[in-house]
Amino acid sequence: MSSNEESSNGDSTNENRSRRRFITGLTSAAWAVSAAYAAVPLVLSMTPSARARNAGAPVEFDFSKLQAGQMVKVEWRGMPVVVLRRTPAMMAGLDEVTELLADPDSADSVQPGYAQNPARADANKNEILVMLSVCTHLGCSPVEKLAVGPDPEMGEDSKGGFFCPCHGSKFDLAGRVYKNVPANKNMVIPPYQYLDENVILIGDDEARNA
Amino acid sequence: MGNFMEWLDRRFPATQVWNDHMAKYWTPKNFNFWYYFGVLSIVILVLQIVTGIFLTMHYKPDVTLAFASVEYIMRDVPWGWLIRYLHAIGASAFFVVIYLHMFRGLIYGSSREPRELVWLIGCVIYVALMAESFMGYLLPWGNMSYWGAQVIISLFDVIPYVGPALSEWIRGDFVVSDATLNRFFAFHVIAVPLILCVLVFLHIVALHKVGSLNPDGIEIKENKDKGGIPLDGIAFHPYYTVKDTVGVVVFFIIYLGVVFYWPEGGGVLLEKDNFTPANSLQTPPDIVPLWYFTPFYSILRASTADFLVVLGSLTAIAAIATPFIKTKRSNKIAAFVGYGVIAICLFIFDAKWWGVVMMAMAIVVMFLLPWLDKSPVKSIRYRSLPFKIAVTIFVLAFISLGYLGMHPVSALSTIQAQTCTVLYFAFFALMPFYTTWGKTKPVPERLT
């Protein structure tokens, strides 16, 4: 009892009050730091797992059956990759739309160096377009509009291209984005290489450096 | 019984809580149609929790099993179809009721002093509810589920520097995948519902501290009898519990009518693309979020490079007008700082960033309502004409945005959506001005 009285008397002195406040502050800070540390494993448990990280292997695709003007979608890392063999008319159309594009030279867009050209393809086989079919706006997969001519979405004198159904972004047949649409970058060209005349390896271009 | 209550009350404030919040909770006697939607949202919350528990008994949160397990619930589980439809249609019903509840707050001034916290907590509930329904929508693993999640998670990509890492963290993978489905299941069935229940509790605690407002927008606590009971107040129980029962029955007639006879709601309540399993290679031909998100989705789509020019011009006009407005100097400085930030952001960021920011701002501005409204009266019954016109335009713009968001974009619809976006924000930005214009009607002393 007497010790209680002593401490309550001690409380009223300014020195004790500030000391108490300091210790309370220090304890609270220690709690906050501990809580932050405790949150780390929980937060990190939500990042991509080792299994997800290992799942990104390159995929092979044999495009010998792909006729001029035909397109297929191949899955790589869970994402759709377009492989399109463009016709000479389609290739000619690429130059006619340059004025309408936001980034015709692909200066702000993502592609390997060997695909930074108007066709956005390997110069050896520049009619073959290999492209992530993922809209650079919000990640939908744009619909192919391969036909030349009037199209409800692409416009009256469409030279063919890709139209994103989600938010109306338009791309040409090299995945270059049109001006004044929600997307502002060209679609991504993944690294790729030719294993032989008809087989393409998507996701790996090591051989180019060798 | 008497002895039991005595025993209980000495250990637990049962009678006290009952009286404080039901039997002696004094409520304005003139609640009208608009005051059903608070109690209805609680009814639906309970309904969603109960049906959700039973769905969890049969659902499998695994990309290879999820779609089939929902079909299994629909076809093989006894009464599974009913539980699933109650839950899926319940989500839409929840938003119908919440939107009407919010509209009630807007027209009767329910958010005004001293009820700001009730409004703010309510806005947080609205955001939590959007998260809850968004994550729930991924679970059937239909194609619209998949691409809807893909689009919404990609919104985080626009945050400078940390955006891509953040969206990867949310997905738990580089694309929407099994990891995403499994964690959305965890959030949908436990994390967010817990938060929602706590928020609803706080919403009611805050409301019962200040008491409900009413269609006249005046305080019943200002006229009390000798016993301290508001003269215009009636006990919540039995008067409103009985009246609300009627509202709940009418609600169930409509809601169950939809559940039994029109569950897909013409493709609006259950979207046709969600009847096919998720396909990571094929975006649905016309992707639309659920109807209750479409107004914000339209605002997102309205942001094009041309629209940024409009945005810049409107900011410039506001900046020119500001010096002529009669207000405190600090307000003007704050306004100019705001214009400066907008101008800088217009130079740095593109239309995509602005789309996401405007969509987020469309929700953030709702929180500010109690402070933007400067009218001397609260209820629309006594407001001046400019406010009534503004509310009408706002409702039309909101519904138009919702309608446009359900349909594919065209050149014309983009301009319509942009116009409605400007009107939506103008409703809030100009509110401090038009709420002071015109002559308000005299407010009565007592409820009418």
Side-chain angles (χ1 to χ4, degrees):
Chain A
M1 196 64 203
S2 66
S3 70
N4 266 354
E5 269 164 30
E6 257 170 49
S7 76
S8 66
N9 285 340
D11 259 353
S12 57
T13 69
N14 276 335
E15 191 198 351
N16 247 343
R17 193 174 297 165
S18 69
R19 187 181 289 179
R20 230 166 227 233
R21 202 168 289 163
F22 175 73
I23 292 170
T24 310
L26 211 59
T27 315
S28 310
W31 269 110
V33 171
S34 314
Y37 269 100
V40 168
L42 300 178
V43 169
L44 291 187
S45 76
M46 285 176 66
T47 56
S49 65
R51 191 171 64 188
R53 286 179 193 284
N54 289 338
V59 292
E60 280 181 29
F61 177 66
D62 180 346
F63 61 98
S64 55
K65 286 181 184 151
L66 204 62
Q67 302 292 315
Q70 283 186 337
M71 190 199 98
V72 291
K73 279 184 181 175
V74 183
E75 188 173 346
W76 171 64
R77 291 189 174 173
M79 290 180 287
V81 175
V82 153
V83 181
L84 167 67
R85 191 195 287 270
R86 290 171 287 195
T87 63
M90 287 171 165
M91 296 301 285
L94 294 181
D95 295 330
E96 293 171 41
V97 295
T98 313
E99 294 288 295
L100 307 171
L101 302 176
D103 185 17
D105 303 320
S106 303
D108 282 336
S109 303
V110 178
Q111 63 271 311
Y114 46 84
Q116 190 173 357
N117 48 52
R120 303 193 77 218
D122 187 336
N124 294 330
K125 278 192 178 52
N126 81 343
E127 78 278 13
I128 301 282
L129 174 71
V130 179
M131 177 178 79
L132 275 191
S133 180
V134 175
C135 181
T136 50
H137 180 221
L138 292 173
C140 289
S141 186
V143 177
E144 62 277 12
K145 297 278 184 185
L146 302 181
V148 176
D151 181 276
E153 275 101 20
M154 294 298 289
E156 279 303 303
D157 50 350
S158 169
K159 305 287 180 226
F162 297 88
F163 175 78
C164 184
C166 296
H167 308 93
S169 292
K170 293 193 284 183
F171 303 86
D172 76 351
L173 283 171
R176 296 179 297 177
V177 68
Y178 277 76
K179 285 177 187 163
N180 208 18
V181 293
N184 63 330
K185 285 184 175 148
N186 301 338
M187 282 195 273
V188 172
I189 306 291
Y192 65 97
Q193 63 191 9
Y194 293 103
L195 296 179
D196 63 42
E197 196 56 26
N198 287 321
V199 179
I200 197 166
L201 184 69
I202 299 163
D204 184 9
D205 54 6
E206 288 288 305
R208 289 176 192 274
N209 306 325
Chain B
M1 188 66 192
N3 280 339
F4 172 71
M5 285 314 292
E6 227 168 76
W7 183 90
L8 187 65
D9 280 335
R10 283 178 60 198
R11 290 157 180 84
F12 186 90
T15 305
Q16 190 197 334
V17 169
W18 172 258
N19 284 338
D20 287 354
H21 298 285
M22 298 296 280
K24 290 181 182 168
Y25 175 65
W26 308 109
T27 331
K29 64 182 183 184
N30 65 339
F31 280 175
N32 59 13
F33 167 77
W34 293 105
Y35 287 78
Y36 281 123
F37 299 105
V39 74
L40 286 181
S41 37
I42 298 223
V43 168
I44 302 176
L45 179 66
V46 172
L47 190 82
Q48 292 296 83
I49 289 173
V50 171
T51 52
I53 289 169
F54 287 89
L55 286 175
T56 315
M57 294 179 192
H58 305 284
Y59 171 78
K60 296 207 163 43
D62 177 316
V63 290
T64 57
L65 304 171
F67 187 84
S69 76
V70 174
E71 289 305 307
Y72 165 74
I73 291 170
M74 293 300 292
R75 292 154 197 260
D76 294 345
V77 174
W79 296 98
W81 62 271
L82 177 64
I83 301 171
R84 195 246 172 163
Y85 275 159
L86 285 174
H87 196 77
I89 309 306
S92 278
F94 214 153
F95 277 92
V96 170
V97 164
I98 287 291
Y99 278 130
L100 294 172
H101 188 60
M102 291 164 84
F103 179 69
R104 192 279 317 275
L106 177 68
I107 60 171
Y108 291 137
S110 312
S111 70
R112 299 279 300 276
E113 193 277 327
R115 296 179 180 80
E116 299 96 325
L117 268 185
V118 182
W119 178 261
L120 288 184
I121 297 167
C123 287
V124 179
I125 293 175
Y126 175 58
V127 173
L129 204 58
M130 291 203 283
E132 176 71 355
S133 92
F134 163 66
M135 290 191 276
Y137 197 57
L138 183 68
L139 303 186
W141 203 245
N143 209 24
M144 198 61 96
S145 302
Y146 179 88
W147 287 98
Q150 166 77 357
V151 167
I152 302 298
I153 298 171
S154 297
L155 295 178
F156 292 95
D157 277 340
V158 304
I159 301 169
Y161 306 113
V162 297
L166 180 63
S167 59
E168 197 176 285
W169 179 74
I170 294 169
R171 284 190 296 259
D173 205 333
F174 307 101
V175 289
V176 173
S177 68
D178 193 60
T180 323
L181 177 64
N182 224 149
R183 68 188 47 191
F184 274 29
F185 178 69
F187 283 121
H188 182 77
V189 302
I190 182 70
V192 183
L194 273 181
I195 293 169
L196 270 174
C197 289
V198 171
L199 287 169
V200 168
F201 177 75
L202 295 178
H203 192 59
I204 294 170
V205 169
L207 174 69
H208 284 208
K209 172 72 184 170
V210 290
S212 295
L213 198 63
N214 55 76
D216 276 320
I218 55 175
E219 301 292 343
I220 57 166
K221 285 179 183 169
E222 281 168 12
N223 291 296
K224 287 180 177 169
D225 67 10
K226 286 182 197 123
I229 296 167
L231 289 167
D232 284 331
I234 50 175
F236 186 81
H237 179 78
Y239 297 104
Y240 279 117
T241 44
V242 170
K243 187 190 180 195
D244 285 343
T245 307
V246 178
V248 170
V249 168
V250 173
F251 164 76
F252 268 102
I253 291 171
I254 299 167
Y255 164 65
L256 292 178
V258 175
V259 166
F260 289 136
Y261 298 107
W262 206 41
E264 77 287 2
V268 172
L269 305 180
L270 296 175
E271 293 174 300
K272 65 181 192 298
D273 283 301
N274 237 18
F275 288 92
T276 50
N279 179 352
S280 64
L281 298 188
Q282 189 70 54
T283 303
D286 39 22
I287 188 164
V288 269
L290 279 160
W291 66 269
Y292 37 81
F293 292 135
T294 51
F296 306 104
Y297 186 67
S298 270
I299 292 176
L300 173 78
R301 291 200 297 195
S303 180
T304 61
D306 284 349
F307 188 65
L308 296 191
V309 178
V310 175
L311 203 62
S313 313
L314 290 173
T315 310
I317 292 168
I320 293 166
T322 302
F324 301 101
I325 296 165
K326 277 189 196 147
T327 179
K328 277 184 287 182
R329 178 162 234 199
S330 58
N331 284 352
K332 291 188 184 183
I333 293 169
F336 274 104
V337 170
Y339 303 145
V341 170
I342 292 174
I344 292 166
C345 290
L346 277 170
F347 275 106
I348 299 177
F349 297 110
D350 54 35
K352 172 179 165 180
W353 186 87
W354 276 100
V356 178
V357 167
M358 285 197 301
M359 190 169 79
M361 288 309 291
I363 293 161
V364 171
V365 286
M366 291 181 184
F367 285 74
L368 305 177
L369 183 71
W371 295 277
L372 294 174
D373 184 352
K374 305 279 187 200
S375 176
V377 299
K378 289 176 181 168
S379 169
I380 195 155
R381 289 183 179 177
Y382 309 107
R383 295 251 191 179
S384 55
L385 187 63
F387 178 80
K388 294 177 185 174
I389 295 170
V391 169
T392 310
I393 293 172
F394 174 71
V395 169
L396 291 176
F398 191 74
I399 293 171
S400 304
L401 283 169
Y403 174 81
L404 293 168
M406 286 187 224
H407 295 85
V409 281
S410 67
L412 177 65
S413 76
T414 303
I415 292 170
Q416 288 168 329
Q418 289 166 341
T419 310
C420 292
T421 302
V422 170
L423 292 174
Y424 180 98
F425 284 106
F427 175 73
F428 292 97
L430 301 178
M431 189 178 280
F433 307 107
Y434 63 72
T435 46
T436 61
W437 297 344
K439 212 170 139 50
T440 56
K441 291 187 195 127
V443 172
E445 278 288 301
R446 298 274 303 272
L447 295 187
T448 55

